[in-house]
Amino acid sequence: MLELKNMTVRYGKHLAVDAVGFGLTKGEVVVVLGANGAGKSSMLKAIAGMIPVADGSVTLDGDLLTGVPAHQVTNRGIALVPEGRGVVGRMTVEENLRLGATPSRARASEDETIAQVFDIFPRLAERRRQFVHTMSGGEQQMVAVGRAMMSKPDFLLLDEPSLGLAPIVVGDLFKALARVRETGVGLLIVEQNVKISLRHADRGYLLEAGRITGSGTSEELMNDAAVRHAFLGGDI
Amino acid sequence: MLEHVVNGLVLGGTYALVAMGLTIQYGIARIMNLSFGDTIIAACFATYVLFTSLSISPILALLILVPSGYALSNVVYRVIMKPLVARAPDEGALEVDSILVTFGLLFVIQGILLYLFGGGYTSYSFFNTPINVLGTVVAGNRLLALVLSLMIGAALVIILFRTRWGMILRAVALAPKSAPLFGIDTDRAARTAFAIGGAIAATGGVVISMFQTFTATAGVVFTMKALIVVILGGKGSVPGAIVAGLLLGLVETFVAAYVDPGLTLAAVYTVFLLLLLVRPNGIFGKA
């Protein structure tokens, strides 16, 4: 179980994430909805150890993650697919994937996992020797998710995976994410694309100005007046 | 003619070798090491001492000095560079800080060498046997220097491009911000890269001392030439360093032979300027 308790992130005096608390279990898909600047990215980066947590805590199965350096957080079983994807553009697809198996927890099962990634994303198998920076946005996002899977995570954190992708590509991506979830991984997705993310999530939270202002099952949120007003232009 | 080609390749081979060390330190650890040439000279003197007073051949000296270069650079990184990395707000700041600090380190190393060995030209005679290469006679030590440079350079390329270790180092060079997400300890990678650079500098020192005279104050010249090779080849590019190093060695040798030995540096800078006008990011550089 991944648990946030009163997690607070500051940039100088600016409060980016304000005492956020929630948890998720393996195999569960949770979406955090919020507008630009709501603190979604900061929240994920803080969980992954990329930026410091000012107050509160993050725990994984009871073990404290706060203050653990990012590369060790990856080895504990948290994989972040950041905004901008975090792939190495000037390396090939296969190099990116193999590099993703750097954490010691992932080494032994590297070949097995890469077969699993190729099974979920057949396109990557076809393009294993291609340089990532020459690929389309959707394909690069596949590399990013594949690379994250290679570290054998218990929890996968995705920062706006749909950003900049065509609707049909977004649909395929979320179908692939559903298969990743079937392998037992818990997914924490932050999104602005409310419709598709709620369709694939079990439950969700609303993040506004760094604070959680609402929560519920996907169905509840889909029918919530505030969500409809804020994200869906009033009606669906 | 052929004699100059061989001599040019020998010189170029050593340039390529040492430039690889500098480009790895700069590309991966993000440290522009101005004391690099002085590390080379220190290794030259160490080889000289081992050979003349302990009769240890330069080949065996490699086995001692290369690991020493690695270990010492590792310590230098931990003690001097790490605090700079920790406090630098961004890459640009680290670059400026590292230039200032290694500029100081240059004089420390040079001072120690001047104290120990004085300012005179030093050399020793090792494997001076003439060897016939395709009809031209070349000194055995030069040929050995070329072979060693090529072998070590090739080994380095294989490590960087064919092993997981090399893949990790390249990833840190190409995407330093994303590397931790791959589970890569970037601090350790930077330390390793800096230490590999030191080991290569030591290798270069041993190899160069086999066929060239050296002085305690010659480090700056090596740093400058390595820097030119690194920029010509494209910052952080190992294949670029090899091509540019060989090119530089050939240009120097040919200008010395056919134009005027006094014009070698001028010729080097001319090539440097011309190539940068055509390819501002170096031969293998990326925009």
Side-chain angles (χ1 to χ4, degrees):
Chain A
M1 171 138 180
L2 178 65
E3 216 172 357
L4 278 60
K5 278 188 196 145
N6 288 321
M7 192 183 81
T8 302
V9 178
R10 281 199 186 90
Y11 295 108
K13 281 183 181 164
H14 173 67
L15 205 56
V17 179
D18 187 2
V20 163
F22 65 88
L24 72 152
T25 53
K26 286 182 75 174
E28 192 180 23
V29 180
V30 172
V31 63
V32 175
L33 302 170
N36 274 335
K40 305 189 303 294
S41 295
S42 300
M43 183 185 79
L44 290 191
K45 281 189 197 161
I47 298 172
M50 305 283 284
I51 54 172
V53 172
D55 212 349
S57 68
V58 183
T59 53
L60 177 64
D61 299 328
D63 296 329
L64 201 63
L65 283 184
T66 326
V68 176
H71 68 274
Q72 282 173 24
V73 173
T74 313
N75 198 29
R76 295 269 193 100
I78 308 273
L80 168 65
V81 176
E83 214 181 329
R85 305 192 178 102
V87 289
V88 187
R90 295 196 180 271
M91 281 188 167
T92 66
V93 170
E94 184 164 353
E95 282 179 317
N96 269 276
L97 294 179
R98 298 235 172 243
L99 208 54
T102 300
S104 52
R105 68 176 356 243
R107 287 290 176 89
S109 52
E110 181 179 340
D111 289 332
E112 211 174 293
T113 321
I114 210 166
Q116 200 177 35
V117 170
F118 285 157
D119 185 46
I120 294 177
F121 301 108
R123 179 71 59 87
L124 297 186
E126 290 163 25
R127 312 225 158 163
R128 58 204 294 170
R129 307 241 174 274
Q130 192 170 338
F131 280 97
V132 173
H133 71 98
T134 65
M135 301 171 91
S136 72
E139 288 165 342
Q140 291 194 21
Q141 194 62 270
M142 292 178 196
V143 177
V145 174
R147 175 236 103 203
M149 285 175 68
M150 290 303 292
S151 68
K152 281 268 151 203
D154 292 328
F155 293 97
L156 183 53
L157 319 179
L158 296 125
D159 195 346
E160 293 207 44
S162 75
L163 194 72
L165 302 183
I168 186 161
V169 181
V170 174
D172 288 345
L173 182 69
F174 272 89
K175 274 178 214 148
L177 289 175
R179 292 191 58 195
V180 175
R181 173 241 195 109
E182 280 166 23
T183 65
V185 178
L187 302 183
L188 178 58
I189 306 174
V190 307
E191 261 298 351
Q192 295 196 59
N193 191 333
V194 175
K195 276 190 202 173
I196 187 132
S197 56
L198 280 181
R199 199 179 304 145
H200 287 87
D202 301 313
R203 40 193 194 92
Y205 295 90
L206 302 183
L207 195 67
E208 282 177 82
R211 287 176 158 274
I212 289 186
T213 55
S215 65
T217 64
S218 297
E219 209 166 316
E220 284 166 0
L221 288 174
M222 200 66 119
N223 297 315
D224 186 285
V227 175
R228 295 170 72 115
H229 180 74
F231 295 103
L232 301 169
D235 62 346
I236 300 177
Chain B
M1 169 78 185
L2 192 64
E3 180 197 343
H4 302 313
V5 172
V6 175
N7 283 334
L9 287 178
V10 171
L11 199 62
T14 57
Y15 287 163
L17 180 65
V18 297
M20 262 191 237
L22 192 68
T23 209
I24 285 175
Q25 284 190 338
Y26 183 59
I28 300 166
R30 317 266 153 190
I31 284 166
M32 181 40 80
N33 184 2
L34 291 189
S35 66
F36 193 76
D38 301 272
T39 317
I40 297 174
I41 295 295
C44 286
F45 277 104
T47 317
Y48 167 77
V49 169
L50 288 174
F51 186 64
T52 53
S53 49
L54 298 169
S55 314
I56 293 173
S57 102
I59 303 290
L60 283 179
L62 276 177
L63 297 181
I64 303 167
L65 294 177
V66 174
S68 310
Y70 187 94
L72 277 175
S73 296
N74 193 311
V75 172
V76 166
Y77 186 87
R78 280 172 198 266
V79 177
I80 303 175
M81 305 304 168
K82 188 64 216 297
L84 297 183
V85 176
R87 71 167 205 187
D90 56 64
E91 252 172 50
L94 176 59
E95 217 164 285
V96 172
D97 283 357
S98 70
I99 285 174
L100 292 174
V101 165
T102 56
F103 193 54
L105 195 59
L106 175 170
F107 291 106
V108 173
I109 301 174
Q110 198 183 84
I112 293 171
L113 292 177
L114 277 172
Y115 173 76
L116 291 175
F117 302 101
Y121 282 90
T122 310
S123 68
Y124 59 89
S125 177
F126 166 72
F127 192 38
N128 224 341
T129 333
I131 293 177
N132 195 324
V133 183
L134 302 166
T136 359
V137 176
V138 185
N141 51 30
R142 282 181 180 260
L143 214 55
L144 188 63
L146 177 62
V147 171
L148 281 175
S149 298
L150 291 179
M151 271 171 44
I152 292 160
L156 209 60
V157 170
I158 290 170
I159 289 173
L160 279 177
F161 289 90
R162 287 282 175 271
T163 69
R164 173 177 294 275
W165 205 48
M167 198 156 77
I168 288 172
L169 292 180
R170 279 191 299 131
V172 175
L174 293 168
K177 293 217 167 61
S178 305
L181 298 176
F182 287 79
I184 295 170
D185 184 346
T186 47
D187 177 44
R188 196 172 128 198
R191 201 169 62 229
T192 306
F194 193 78
I196 291 176
I200 295 171
T203 314
V206 174
V207 168
I208 287 164
S209 74
M210 294 195 310
F211 69 93
Q212 266 197 2
T213 53
F214 43 90
T215 68
T217 50
V220 161
V221 178
F222 282 104
T223 306
M224 263 180 21
K225 283 185 182 167
L227 210 53
I228 289 177
V229 172
V230 166
I231 296 168
L232 261 188
K235 278 178 283 180
S237 166
V238 169
I242 296 172
V243 173
L246 292 174
L247 179 72
L248 202 65
L250 286 170
V251 167
E252 274 196 19
T253 313
F254 272 87
V255 169
Y258 292 110
V259 189
D260 188 305
L263 285 177
T264 49
L265 261 180
V268 163
Y269 278 110
T270 309
V271 172
F272 181 61
L273 285 175
L274 287 180
L275 254 171
L276 282 195
L277 281 176
V278 188
R279 288 193 65 89
N281 292 304
I283 303 171
F284 284 72
K286 284 129 194 166

